[in-house]
């Protein structure tokens, strides 16, 4: 399943390089499947595809991703992560404001 997911991600993200590692959290699933966060690497990996789909500058999208990075809990537990729900809501809000 993981190999198939990697192949699907590579084809869906044509800007990725053939030897570029696919972030592990994009090809595995959480226990509940409802985790609202992804790694910063997973968010960055998808920037070219999402920017193209939303017809926006990738640099602007990277700025938004950076805005929704949550640090380690208590400064030491876990890894920095991107709150996808908040990021998507901000992107949707930009879409509403576009002419």
């Amino acid at each position: 399943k993981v190999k198939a997911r990697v192949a699907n991600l590579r084809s869906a993200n044509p800007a990725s390089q053939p030897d570029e590692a696919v972030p592990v959290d994009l090809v595995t699933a959480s226990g509940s499947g409802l985790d609202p966060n992804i790694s910063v690497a997973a968010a960055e990996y998808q920037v070219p595809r999402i920017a193209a789909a939303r017809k926006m500058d990738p640099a602007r999208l990277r700025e938004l991703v950076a805005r929704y990075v949550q640090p380690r809990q208590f400064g030491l537990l876990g890894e920095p992560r991107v709150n996808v729900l908040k990021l998507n809501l901000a992107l949707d809000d930009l879409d509403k404001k576009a002419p």
Side-chain angles (χ1 to χ4, degrees), residues 11-22:
S11 68
N13 291 283
S16 68
Q17 302 300 316
D19 60 343
E20 182 180 3
V22 175

Side-chain angles (χ1 to χ4, degrees), residues 6-28:
V6 168
N8 287 338
L9 278 168
R10 287 183 195 269
S11 68
N13 291 283
S16 68
Q17 302 300 316
D19 60 343
E20 182 180 3
V22 175
V24 71
D25 56 322
L26 290 179
V27 295
T28 57

Side-chain angles (χ1 to χ4, degrees), residues 21-82:
V22 175
V24 71
D25 56 322
L26 290 179
V27 295
T28 57
S30 67
S32 67
L34 300 174
D35 192 350
N37 303 310
I38 60 173
S39 68
V40 176
E44 286 291 330
Y45 183 86
Q46 298 179 84
V47 163
R49 179 178 58 83
I50 301 298
R54 290 199 177 248
K55 297 175 179 57
M56 68 184 299
D57 179 14
R60 175 70 176 122
L61 180 53
R62 283 188 181 89
E63 289 173 9
L64 281 172
V65 167
R67 186 181 306 166
Y68 291 98
V69 171
Q70 298 174 329
R72 292 181 164 129
Q73 191 172 18
F74 308 117
L76 58 115
L77 298 175
E79 294 297 322
R81 61 220 178 269
V82 177

